[in-house]
Amino acid sequence: MHYFLRLHALSQLFDEQLQRWGGSLVSLGLRLFIGWQFFKAGLIKVSDWSVTLSLFRDEYKVPVLPPEVAAVMGAGGELFLPVLLALGLFSRPAALGLLAVNAMAVISYPQLFQFECPAAINDHFYWGVCLLVLLVFGPGKLSVDEFLKAKRT
């Protein structure tokens, strides 16, 4: 038993450093990956605004909001929030905002919701899970949030 306990302690020798810095690297990778996915979508929306407005009028079924307002909010969220997320500035609010954008995309686009596009719905599911991970575990040490937190203390 003593040998087993020593072996177990040895296996956990670098756990704290791995969690601190490895987790921070994983968070950075997630922030950059997810941020890029949403930022690209925002760039596409603003590249041809008339097509975007047409999509929001005819294809997307955004509840409550007029299509023009939904288009501006969607494009704005997809351009602004990913920058915050990538920098690690207001990371949790940015992740929460992108989670709302992601959920609204699934709710508003009937083809996704009805699973006519299985690959697309999977993408939204994976992005949602990644955003939940960032929301729960935070941006990690390699973020502006962490830098500002260190300045406060």
Side-chain angles (χ1 to χ4, degrees):
M1 182 68 166
H2 180 69
Y3 174 75
F4 178 76
L5 292 175
R6 290 186 68 202
L7 185 61
H8 186 263
L10 184 63
S11 76
Q12 294 182 331
L13 195 58
F14 299 105
D15 280 4
E16 186 179 328
Q17 294 299 320
L18 184 60
Q19 183 177 358
R20 179 179 296 128
W21 294 105
S24 293
L25 283 172
V26 169
S27 291
L28 176 61
L30 283 176
R31 291 187 350 245
L32 294 174
F33 173 74
I34 296 297
W36 179 240
Q37 302 308 308
F38 282 91
F39 192 75
K40 283 189 305 188
L43 288 177
I44 290 169
K45 282 182 179 67
V46 298
S47 71
D48 193 340
W49 194 247
S50 62
V51 170
T52 297
L53 286 176
S54 176
L55 282 170
F56 273 84
R57 285 186 192 115
D58 303 330
E59 289 283 324
Y60 305 151
K61 309 297 182 211
V62 178
V64 181
L65 297 174
E68 294 77 12
V69 174
V72 169
M73 290 179 69
E78 288 176 337
L79 291 172
F80 180 66
L81 296 172
V83 172
L84 292 178
L85 193 67
L87 292 172
L89 177 62
F90 299 107
S91 302
R92 283 188 166 102
L96 185 60
L98 287 173
L99 198 57
V101 169
N102 191 46
M104 190 55 64
V106 171
I107 291 167
S108 302
Y109 192 49
Q111 288 79 1
L112 286 178
F113 195 67
Q114 296 167 3
F115 298 98
E116 290 178 17
C117 307
I121 195 69
N122 283 342
D123 285 347
H124 284 277
F125 175 75
Y126 297 137
W127 298 336
V129 169
C130 290
L131 287 164
L132 282 173
V133 167
L134 290 170
L135 186 64
V136 171
F137 293 102
K141 294 258 180 232
L142 305 172
S143 66
V144 175
D145 284 342
E146 188 68 23
F147 174 79
L148 295 174
K149 181 180 170 184
K151 287 290 183 191
R152 280 195 323 261
T153 56

